Amino acid sequence: MGKGKSLLIQQHIDHEGPGLLEEFLQQKWFGYDIVHLDRSANLPDPEDYDAVITLGGPQSANDSSDMMRKELIQLGTVLEHGIPYLGICLGMQTLAKAAGGTVRPCTPKETGFYDSTSARYEIQLTQDGANDPLFQGLAAPFGVFQLHGETVDLNDRITLLGFAISPQCHNQVIRVGTSAYGIQCHFELTPEMFGQWLDTDPDLKAMDRKELEKQFGQQWEAYACTGRTLLANFLHLAGLL
């Protein structure tokens, strides 16, 4: 549809949907289109939208697939024209790749709310991050949910806004230019989505389901607040709210 819609949401796989993001947009009566990248022969022109949000998925930014080739070309247009962009997980990695960064395996993978030592996955902010409008109203560090097996290395074109203590996946939040952002963690999960992921994702299925559900319930209020705040801040800086 494009014209007349202000926000484009791009999805790589069915169960990794917009979740909290879509709930927020519907509450605001906000116009948006959702496109499934894995089903689309031609990707939308990002210049038809005021902003783009690209979600996560099991694919890799290093894939040689036609879908990934088109996505990286599309991101080149986003960066060339300064279109506000927010990439989540894979959407962050493709942003880094499009900006000339490197995407490589993260060993071990980061999965869940806590690492193998029971330390909570958290994001700290750099000075650039603390001053960035994306994080207005958020106190760092804040807990996050992780589900990824790759990480990114940066170049001079990419600004680090948020990081983790873990040396395996230090770079967690990036910005390219003034308005293209990538966040490694997932902040968009609803309880329904979380249940779907527990049923679907092989890394989560290998973990203790009851313990994951307990952790999600314990952190839900703070987790949802972080997600809604990040989205509202992005829409504000994109000039949409």
Short mmCIF file of all heavy atoms in Angstrom, two decimals, residues 18-80:
data_model
loop_
_atom_site.label_atom_id
_atom_site.label_comp_id
_atom_site.label_asym_id
_atom_site.label_seq_id
_atom_site.Cartn_x
_atom_site.Cartn_y
_atom_site.Cartn_z
N PRO A 18 5.39 -8.25 15.39
CA PRO A 18 5.63 -6.98 16.07
C PRO A 18 5.19 -6.92 17.52
O PRO A 18 5.63 -6.05 18.27
CB PRO A 18 4.85 -5.98 15.21
CG PRO A 18 3.82 -6.78 14.51
CD PRO A 18 4.41 -8.14 14.31
N GLY A 19 4.29 -7.81 17.97
CA GLY A 19 3.97 -7.90 19.38
C GLY A 19 3.60 -6.60 20.04
O GLY A 19 2.64 -5.94 19.67
N LEU A 20 4.38 -6.21 21.07
CA LEU A 20 4.12 -4.97 21.81
C LEU A 20 4.09 -3.75 20.89
O LEU A 20 3.35 -2.80 21.14
CB LEU A 20 5.20 -4.75 22.87
CG LEU A 20 5.06 -5.48 24.20
CD1 LEU A 20 6.28 -5.19 25.06
CD2 LEU A 20 3.79 -5.06 24.92
N LEU A 21 4.88 -3.79 19.84
CA LEU A 21 4.92 -2.66 18.92
C LEU A 21 3.57 -2.47 18.25
O LEU A 21 3.05 -1.35 18.17
CB LEU A 21 6.00 -2.89 17.85
CG LEU A 21 7.38 -3.34 18.33
CD1 LEU A 21 8.34 -3.42 17.16
CD2 LEU A 21 7.93 -2.41 19.40
N GLU A 22 2.99 -3.56 17.79
CA GLU A 22 1.69 -3.46 17.12
C GLU A 22 0.60 -3.05 18.11
O GLU A 22 -0.27 -2.24 17.77
CB GLU A 22 1.32 -4.78 16.44
CG GLU A 22 0.08 -4.68 15.57
CD GLU A 22 -0.12 -5.89 14.70
OE1 GLU A 22 0.37 -6.99 15.05
OE2 GLU A 22 -0.77 -5.74 13.65
N GLU A 23 0.64 -3.59 19.31
CA GLU A 23 -0.34 -3.19 20.33
C GLU A 23 -0.27 -1.68 20.57
O GLU A 23 -1.29 -1.00 20.66
CB GLU A 23 -0.08 -3.95 21.63
CG GLU A 23 -0.48 -5.41 21.60
CD GLU A 23 -0.35 -6.06 22.98
OE1 GLU A 23 0.06 -5.36 23.94
OE2 GLU A 23 -0.65 -7.26 23.09
N PHE A 24 0.94 -1.16 20.69
CA PHE A 24 1.13 0.27 20.93
C PHE A 24 0.57 1.09 19.76
O PHE A 24 -0.13 2.08 19.96
CB PHE A 24 2.62 0.55 21.10
CG PHE A 24 2.95 1.99 21.39
CD1 PHE A 24 3.05 2.46 22.69
CD2 PHE A 24 3.19 2.89 20.35
CE1 PHE A 24 3.37 3.78 22.96
CE2 PHE A 24 3.50 4.21 20.61
CZ PHE A 24 3.60 4.66 21.91
N LEU A 25 0.87 0.66 18.55
CA LEU A 25 0.41 1.40 17.37
C LEU A 25 -1.10 1.38 17.26
O LEU A 25 -1.73 2.39 16.90
CB LEU A 25 1.04 0.81 16.11
CG LEU A 25 2.57 0.91 16.02
CD1 LEU A 25 3.08 0.12 14.83
CD2 LEU A 25 3.01 2.36 15.93
N GLN A 26 -1.71 0.25 17.57
CA GLN A 26 -3.18 0.16 17.51
C GLN A 26 -3.83 1.05 18.57
O GLN A 26 -4.86 1.67 18.32
CB GLN A 26 -3.61 -1.29 17.67
CG GLN A 26 -3.27 -2.15 16.46
CD GLN A 26 -3.55 -3.63 16.68
OE1 GLN A 26 -3.76 -4.08 17.80
NE2 GLN A 26 -3.55 -4.40 15.60
N GLN A 27 -3.23 1.13 19.74
CA GLN A 27 -3.76 2.01 20.79
C GLN A 27 -3.67 3.47 20.39
O GLN A 27 -4.52 4.28 20.75
CB GLN A 27 -2.97 1.79 22.09
CG GLN A 27 -3.23 0.45 22.75
CD GLN A 27 -2.25 0.16 23.86
OE1 GLN A 27 -1.37 0.95 24.17
NE2 GLN A 27 -2.38 -1.02 24.48
N LYS A 28 -2.68 3.81 19.58
CA LYS A 28 -2.49 5.19 19.13
C LYS A 28 -3.22 5.46 17.81
O LYS A 28 -3.12 6.57 17.29
CB LYS A 28 -0.99 5.48 18.94
CG LYS A 28 -0.14 5.34 20.19
CD LYS A 28 -0.45 6.43 21.20
CE LYS A 28 0.46 6.33 22.41
NZ LYS A 28 0.16 7.35 23.43
N TRP A 29 -3.93 4.47 17.28
CA TRP A 29 -4.59 4.60 15.98
C TRP A 29 -3.58 5.03 14.92
O TRP A 29 -3.81 5.92 14.12
CB TRP A 29 -5.76 5.59 16.05
CG TRP A 29 -6.86 5.12 16.94
CD1 TRP A 29 -6.98 5.36 18.28
CD2 TRP A 29 -7.99 4.32 16.59
NE1 TRP A 29 -8.11 4.76 18.78
CE2 TRP A 29 -8.76 4.12 17.76
CE3 TRP A 29 -8.44 3.76 15.39
CZ2 TRP A 29 -9.94 3.37 17.78
CZ3 TRP A 29 -9.60 3.02 15.40
CH2 TRP A 29 -10.34 2.83 16.58
N PHE A 30 -2.47 4.34 14.91
CA PHE A 30 -1.34 4.71 14.08
C PHE A 30 -1.35 3.90 12.78
O PHE A 30 -1.54 2.70 12.79
CB PHE A 30 -0.04 4.44 14.85
CG PHE A 30 1.11 5.27 14.42
CD1 PHE A 30 1.43 6.43 15.09
CD2 PHE A 30 1.87 4.90 13.33
CE1 PHE A 30 2.51 7.20 14.70
CE2 PHE A 30 2.94 5.67 12.93
CZ PHE A 30 3.27 6.82 13.61
N GLY A 31 -1.15 4.57 11.65
CA GLY A 31 -1.13 3.88 10.37
C GLY A 31 0.18 3.15 10.12
O GLY A 31 1.25 3.71 10.32
N TYR A 32 0.10 1.91 9.70
CA TYR A 32 1.31 1.13 9.42
C TYR A 32 0.98 -0.01 8.46
O TYR A 32 -0.17 -0.44 8.33
CB TYR A 32 1.91 0.55 10.71
CG TYR A 32 0.99 -0.38 11.46
CD1 TYR A 32 1.06 -1.76 11.26
CD2 TYR A 32 0.06 0.11 12.37
CE1 TYR A 32 0.21 -2.62 11.96
CE2 TYR A 32 -0.78 -0.74 13.07
CZ TYR A 32 -0.71 -2.10 12.85
OH TYR A 32 -1.55 -2.94 13.53
N ASP A 33 1.99 -0.46 7.76
CA ASP A 33 1.91 -1.66 6.93
C ASP A 33 2.86 -2.70 7.49
O ASP A 33 3.95 -2.35 7.98
CB ASP A 33 2.33 -1.36 5.48
CG ASP A 33 1.30 -0.55 4.70
OD1 ASP A 33 0.12 -0.56 5.11
OD2 ASP A 33 1.68 0.07 3.70
N ILE A 34 2.48 -3.97 7.41
CA ILE A 34 3.38 -5.08 7.76
C ILE A 34 3.67 -5.88 6.50
O ILE A 34 2.75 -6.29 5.78
CB ILE A 34 2.76 -5.99 8.83
CG1 ILE A 34 2.52 -5.21 10.13
CG2 ILE A 34 3.67 -7.19 9.10
CD1 ILE A 34 1.90 -6.03 11.25
N VAL A 35 4.95 -6.10 6.23
CA VAL A 35 5.38 -6.86 5.07
C VAL A 35 6.19 -8.07 5.54
O VAL A 35 7.06 -7.94 6.41
CB VAL A 35 6.24 -5.98 4.13
CG1 VAL A 35 6.87 -6.82 3.03
CG2 VAL A 35 5.40 -4.87 3.53
N HIS A 36 5.90 -9.24 4.97
CA HIS A 36 6.65 -10.46 5.28
C HIS A 36 7.76 -10.61 4.25
O HIS A 36 7.52 -10.93 3.09
CB HIS A 36 5.71 -11.67 5.26
CG HIS A 36 4.74 -11.68 6.39
ND1 HIS A 36 4.90 -12.49 7.50
CD2 HIS A 36 3.61 -10.97 6.61
CE1 HIS A 36 3.91 -12.28 8.35
NE2 HIS A 36 3.10 -11.37 7.82
N LEU A 37 8.98 -10.36 4.68
CA LEU A 37 10.11 -10.37 3.77
C LEU A 37 10.33 -11.73 3.14
O LEU A 37 10.77 -11.83 1.99
CB LEU A 37 11.38 -9.92 4.50
CG LEU A 37 11.36 -8.51 5.09
CD1 LEU A 37 12.66 -8.24 5.85
CD2 LEU A 37 11.16 -7.47 4.01
N ASP A 38 10.03 -12.81 3.89
CA ASP A 38 10.27 -14.15 3.37
C ASP A 38 9.23 -14.57 2.32
O ASP A 38 9.38 -15.61 1.70
CB ASP A 38 10.30 -15.17 4.51
CG ASP A 38 9.03 -15.17 5.35
OD1 ASP A 38 8.32 -14.14 5.36
OD2 ASP A 38 8.77 -16.19 6.02
N ARG A 39 8.20 -13.75 2.12
CA ARG A 39 7.18 -14.09 1.13
C ARG A 39 7.10 -13.08 -0.01
O ARG A 39 6.33 -13.28 -0.95
CB ARG A 39 5.80 -14.12 1.79
CG ARG A 39 5.67 -15.07 2.97
CD ARG A 39 4.26 -14.97 3.54
NE ARG A 39 4.19 -15.47 4.89
CZ ARG A 39 3.18 -15.23 5.71
NH1 ARG A 39 2.16 -14.48 5.31
NH2 ARG A 39 3.17 -15.73 6.93
N SER A 40 7.82 -11.99 0.09
CA SER A 40 7.65 -10.89 -0.85
C SER A 40 8.66 -10.97 -1.99
O SER A 40 9.87 -11.01 -1.75
CB SER A 40 7.80 -9.55 -0.13
OG SER A 40 6.85 -9.43 0.90
N ALA A 41 8.16 -10.99 -3.22
CA ALA A 41 9.04 -11.00 -4.38
C ALA A 41 9.77 -9.67 -4.51
O ALA A 41 10.94 -9.62 -4.88
CB ALA A 41 8.24 -11.30 -5.64
N ASN A 42 9.05 -8.59 -4.20
CA ASN A 42 9.64 -7.25 -4.26
C ASN A 42 9.42 -6.54 -2.93
O ASN A 42 8.31 -6.53 -2.41
CB ASN A 42 8.99 -6.44 -5.39
CG ASN A 42 9.23 -7.06 -6.75
OD1 ASN A 42 10.37 -7.23 -7.18
ND2 ASN A 42 8.16 -7.43 -7.44
N LEU A 43 10.48 -5.97 -2.39
CA LEU A 43 10.36 -5.28 -1.12
C LEU A 43 9.86 -3.86 -1.33
O LEU A 43 10.13 -3.24 -2.36
CB LEU A 43 11.72 -5.26 -0.41
CG LEU A 43 12.38 -6.61 -0.14
CD1 LEU A 43 13.57 -6.44 0.80
CD2 LEU A 43 11.38 -7.61 0.45
N PRO A 44 9.14 -3.32 -0.35
CA PRO A 44 8.62 -1.96 -0.48
C PRO A 44 9.75 -0.94 -0.61
O PRO A 44 10.86 -1.15 -0.10
CB PRO A 44 7.84 -1.75 0.81
CG PRO A 44 7.58 -3.11 1.35
CD PRO A 44 8.73 -3.96 0.91
N ASP A 45 9.45 0.15 -1.26
CA ASP A 45 10.39 1.27 -1.34
C ASP A 45 10.31 2.04 -0.02
O ASP A 45 9.26 2.59 0.32
CB ASP A 45 10.00 2.18 -2.50
CG ASP A 45 10.99 3.32 -2.71
OD1 ASP A 45 11.84 3.55 -1.82
OD2 ASP A 45 10.90 3.98 -3.76
N PRO A 46 11.39 2.08 0.75
CA PRO A 46 11.32 2.77 2.04
C PRO A 46 11.05 4.27 1.91
O PRO A 46 10.61 4.90 2.87
CB PRO A 46 12.70 2.50 2.66
CG PRO A 46 13.59 2.18 1.51
CD PRO A 46 12.71 1.50 0.50
N GLU A 47 11.27 4.83 0.73
CA GLU A 47 10.98 6.25 0.54
C GLU A 47 9.47 6.52 0.53
O GLU A 47 9.05 7.68 0.60
CB GLU A 47 11.59 6.74 -0.77
CG GLU A 47 13.11 6.81 -0.74
CD GLU A 47 13.66 7.49 -1.96
OE1 GLU A 47 13.69 8.73 -1.99
OE2 GLU A 47 14.04 6.76 -2.91
N ASP A 48 8.65 5.46 0.46
CA ASP A 48 7.20 5.63 0.54
C ASP A 48 6.72 5.76 1.98
O ASP A 48 5.53 5.94 2.22
CB ASP A 48 6.49 4.43 -0.10
CG ASP A 48 6.60 4.42 -1.61
OD1 ASP A 48 6.94 5.47 -2.19
OD2 ASP A 48 6.34 3.37 -2.23
N TYR A 49 7.64 5.64 2.94
CA TYR A 49 7.28 5.65 4.36
C TYR A 49 8.10 6.69 5.11
O TYR A 49 9.18 7.10 4.68
CB TYR A 49 7.52 4.26 4.97
CG TYR A 49 6.62 3.20 4.39
CD1 TYR A 49 6.97 2.55 3.21
CD2 TYR A 49 5.41 2.87 4.99
CE1 TYR A 49 6.14 1.58 2.66
CE2 TYR A 49 4.58 1.92 4.45
CZ TYR A 49 4.94 1.27 3.29
OH TYR A 49 4.11 0.32 2.74
N ASP A 50 7.57 7.07 6.25
CA ASP A 50 8.28 8.01 7.11
C ASP A 50 9.29 7.32 8.01
O ASP A 50 10.22 7.96 8.52
CB ASP A 50 7.28 8.79 7.97
CG ASP A 50 6.35 9.64 7.12
OD1 ASP A 50 6.85 10.44 6.32
OD2 ASP A 50 5.13 9.48 7.24
N ALA A 51 9.12 6.02 8.25
CA ALA A 51 10.04 5.28 9.11
C ALA A 51 9.87 3.78 8.83
O ALA A 51 8.84 3.35 8.31
CB ALA A 51 9.78 5.57 10.58
N VAL A 52 10.90 3.01 9.18
CA VAL A 52 10.91 1.56 8.95
C VAL A 52 11.35 0.87 10.23
O VAL A 52 12.32 1.29 10.88
CB VAL A 52 11.88 1.19 7.81
CG1 VAL A 52 11.91 -0.33 7.61
CG2 VAL A 52 11.50 1.89 6.51
N ILE A 53 10.63 -0.19 10.61
CA ILE A 53 11.04 -1.08 11.70
C ILE A 53 11.19 -2.49 11.12
O ILE A 53 10.26 -3.01 10.50
CB ILE A 53 10.02 -1.10 12.85
CG1 ILE A 53 9.93 0.28 13.52
CG2 ILE A 53 10.40 -2.16 13.89
CD1 ILE A 53 8.87 0.37 14.61
N THR A 54 12.36 -3.09 11.30
CA THR A 54 12.60 -4.45 10.82
C THR A 54 12.85 -5.36 12.01
O THR A 54 13.70 -5.08 12.86
CB THR A 54 13.78 -4.49 9.85
OG1 THR A 54 13.49 -3.65 8.72
CG2 THR A 54 14.02 -5.90 9.35
N LEU A 55 12.11 -6.47 12.05
CA LEU A 55 12.13 -7.38 13.20
C LEU A 55 13.21 -8.45 13.06
O LEU A 55 14.00 -8.45 12.11
CB LEU A 55 10.74 -8.02 13.34
CG LEU A 55 9.59 -7.01 13.46
CD1 LEU A 55 8.24 -7.74 13.39
CD2 LEU A 55 9.70 -6.21 14.74
N GLY A 56 13.23 -9.37 14.01
CA GLY A 56 14.23 -10.43 14.03
C GLY A 56 13.84 -11.63 13.19
O GLY A 56 12.81 -11.64 12.51
N GLY A 57 14.68 -12.66 13.24
CA GLY A 57 14.43 -13.88 12.49
C GLY A 57 15.61 -14.81 12.59
O GLY A 57 16.70 -14.41 13.03
N PRO A 58 15.45 -16.05 12.14
CA PRO A 58 16.52 -17.04 12.24
C PRO A 58 17.56 -16.93 11.13
O PRO A 58 18.58 -17.62 11.16
CB PRO A 58 15.77 -18.37 12.14
CG PRO A 58 14.59 -18.04 11.25
CD PRO A 58 14.19 -16.63 11.63
N GLN A 59 17.31 -16.09 10.12
CA GLN A 59 18.24 -15.95 9.03
C GLN A 59 19.51 -15.22 9.48
O GLN A 59 19.59 -14.75 10.61
CB GLN A 59 17.59 -15.19 7.86
CG GLN A 59 16.35 -15.85 7.28
CD GLN A 59 15.06 -15.38 7.93
OE1 GLN A 59 15.07 -14.85 9.05
NE2 GLN A 59 13.93 -15.58 7.26
N SER A 60 20.48 -15.12 8.59
CA SER A 60 21.71 -14.39 8.86
C SER A 60 21.88 -13.27 7.85
O SER A 60 21.52 -13.42 6.67
CB SER A 60 22.93 -15.32 8.78
OG SER A 60 24.14 -14.58 8.84
N ALA A 61 22.43 -12.16 8.32
CA ALA A 61 22.75 -11.07 7.39
C ALA A 61 23.82 -11.49 6.38
O ALA A 61 23.99 -10.84 5.36
CB ALA A 61 23.24 -9.85 8.18
N ASN A 62 24.51 -12.59 6.66
CA ASN A 62 25.53 -13.11 5.74
C ASN A 62 24.96 -14.08 4.70
O ASN A 62 25.71 -14.56 3.85
CB ASN A 62 26.64 -13.81 6.52
CG ASN A 62 27.42 -12.86 7.41
OD1 ASN A 62 27.66 -11.71 7.03
ND2 ASN A 62 27.80 -13.31 8.59
N ASP A 63 23.67 -14.37 4.78
CA ASP A 63 23.06 -15.29 3.82
C ASP A 63 23.19 -14.77 2.40
O ASP A 63 23.16 -13.55 2.15
CB ASP A 63 21.57 -15.49 4.14
CG ASP A 63 21.34 -16.32 5.39
OD1 ASP A 63 22.30 -16.94 5.88
OD2 ASP A 63 20.19 -16.33 5.90
N SER A 64 23.29 -15.70 1.46
CA SER A 64 23.36 -15.32 0.04
C SER A 64 22.00 -15.39 -0.62
O SER A 64 21.91 -15.35 -1.85
CB SER A 64 24.35 -16.24 -0.69
OG SER A 64 23.94 -17.61 -0.57
N SER A 65 20.92 -15.48 0.17
CA SER A 65 19.57 -15.63 -0.38
C SER A 65 19.13 -14.36 -1.09
O SER A 65 19.64 -13.26 -0.84
CB SER A 65 18.58 -15.93 0.75
OG SER A 65 18.48 -14.82 1.63
N ASP A 66 18.17 -14.52 -1.98
CA ASP A 66 17.61 -13.38 -2.70
C ASP A 66 16.96 -12.41 -1.73
O ASP A 66 17.08 -11.19 -1.90
CB ASP A 66 16.59 -13.89 -3.74
CG ASP A 66 16.14 -12.80 -4.70
OD1 ASP A 66 17.01 -12.12 -5.27
OD2 ASP A 66 14.93 -12.64 -4.88
N MET A 67 16.28 -12.93 -0.71
CA MET A 67 15.64 -12.06 0.28
C MET A 67 16.65 -11.17 0.97
O MET A 67 16.45 -9.97 1.10
CB MET A 67 14.90 -12.90 1.33
CG MET A 67 14.16 -12.07 2.37
SD MET A 67 13.77 -12.95 3.91
CE MET A 67 15.39 -12.94 4.71
N MET A 68 17.77 -11.76 1.41
CA MET A 68 18.76 -10.97 2.13
C MET A 68 19.45 -9.97 1.21
O MET A 68 19.74 -8.83 1.61
CB MET A 68 19.79 -11.88 2.80
CG MET A 68 20.72 -11.16 3.76
SD MET A 68 19.85 -10.19 5.04
CE MET A 68 18.97 -11.49 5.93
N ARG A 69 19.70 -10.36 -0.01
CA ARG A 69 20.30 -9.42 -0.96
C ARG A 69 19.41 -8.19 -1.14
O ARG A 69 19.87 -7.05 -1.11
CB ARG A 69 20.52 -10.12 -2.31
CG ARG A 69 21.12 -9.21 -3.39
CD ARG A 69 21.21 -9.95 -4.72
NE ARG A 69 19.89 -10.30 -5.22
CZ ARG A 69 19.10 -9.46 -5.90
NH1 ARG A 69 19.49 -8.21 -6.13
NH2 ARG A 69 17.92 -9.87 -6.33
N LYS A 70 18.09 -8.43 -1.31
CA LYS A 70 17.15 -7.33 -1.48
C LYS A 70 17.05 -6.48 -0.22
O LYS A 70 16.93 -5.25 -0.29
CB LYS A 70 15.78 -7.87 -1.87
CG LYS A 70 15.72 -8.47 -3.27
CD LYS A 70 14.36 -9.06 -3.55
CE LYS A 70 14.29 -9.68 -4.94
NZ LYS A 70 12.97 -10.32 -5.19
N GLU A 71 17.08 -7.14 0.94
CA GLU A 71 16.97 -6.38 2.19
C GLU A 71 18.16 -5.45 2.37
O GLU A 71 18.00 -4.29 2.80
CB GLU A 71 16.86 -7.33 3.39
CG GLU A 71 16.70 -6.61 4.71
CD GLU A 71 16.46 -7.55 5.88
OE1 GLU A 71 16.21 -8.75 5.66
OE2 GLU A 71 16.53 -7.07 7.04
N LEU A 72 19.36 -5.91 2.05
CA LEU A 72 20.54 -5.07 2.20
C LEU A 72 20.53 -3.92 1.20
O LEU A 72 20.96 -2.80 1.52
CB LEU A 72 21.80 -5.92 2.04
CG LEU A 72 22.05 -6.93 3.18
CD1 LEU A 72 23.22 -7.84 2.84
CD2 LEU A 72 22.28 -6.23 4.51
N ILE A 73 20.04 -4.16 0.01
CA ILE A 73 19.89 -3.08 -0.97
C ILE A 73 18.89 -2.05 -0.46
O ILE A 73 19.12 -0.83 -0.53
CB ILE A 73 19.44 -3.64 -2.34
CG1 ILE A 73 20.57 -4.44 -2.97
CG2 ILE A 73 19.00 -2.51 -3.26
CD1 ILE A 73 20.17 -5.18 -4.24
N GLN A 74 17.78 -2.54 0.09
CA GLN A 74 16.77 -1.64 0.65
C GLN A 74 17.36 -0.80 1.79
O GLN A 74 17.09 0.40 1.90
CB GLN A 74 15.58 -2.46 1.16
CG GLN A 74 14.42 -1.62 1.70
CD GLN A 74 13.50 -2.44 2.59
OE1 GLN A 74 13.93 -2.98 3.60
NE2 GLN A 74 12.24 -2.56 2.19
N LEU A 75 18.18 -1.42 2.62
CA LEU A 75 18.82 -0.68 3.72
C LEU A 75 19.78 0.37 3.19
O LEU A 75 19.95 1.43 3.81
CB LEU A 75 19.55 -1.65 4.64
CG LEU A 75 18.76 -2.10 5.87
CD1 LEU A 75 19.43 -3.28 6.54
CD2 LEU A 75 18.59 -0.96 6.85
N GLY A 76 20.40 0.10 2.05
CA GLY A 76 21.23 1.12 1.43
C GLY A 76 20.42 2.36 1.11
O GLY A 76 20.90 3.50 1.30
N THR A 77 19.18 2.17 0.64
CA THR A 77 18.30 3.31 0.37
C THR A 77 17.92 4.04 1.65
O THR A 77 17.90 5.27 1.71
CB THR A 77 17.02 2.83 -0.35
OG1 THR A 77 17.38 2.19 -1.58
CG2 THR A 77 16.08 3.98 -0.65
N VAL A 78 17.63 3.27 2.71
CA VAL A 78 17.31 3.86 4.01
C VAL A 78 18.44 4.77 4.48
O VAL A 78 18.22 5.91 4.91
CB VAL A 78 17.05 2.74 5.05
CG1 VAL A 78 17.06 3.31 6.47
CG2 VAL A 78 15.72 2.05 4.78
N LEU A 79 19.67 4.28 4.38
CA LEU A 79 20.81 5.05 4.87
C LEU A 79 21.12 6.23 3.95
O LEU A 79 21.48 7.31 4.42
CB LEU A 79 22.03 4.13 5.00
CG LEU A 79 21.90 3.01 6.04
CD1 LEU A 79 23.14 2.13 6.04
CD2 LEU A 79 21.65 3.58 7.42
N GLU A 80 20.99 6.03 2.67
CA GLU A 80 21.27 7.11 1.72
C GLU A 80 20.35 8.30 1.93
O GLU A 80 20.76 9.46 1.83
CB GLU A 80 21.13 6.59 0.29
CG GLU A 80 21.38 7.66 -0.77
CD GLU A 80 21.17 7.15 -2.18
OE1 GLU A 80 20.89 5.93 -2.36
OE2 GLU A 80 21.25 7.96 -3.12
#
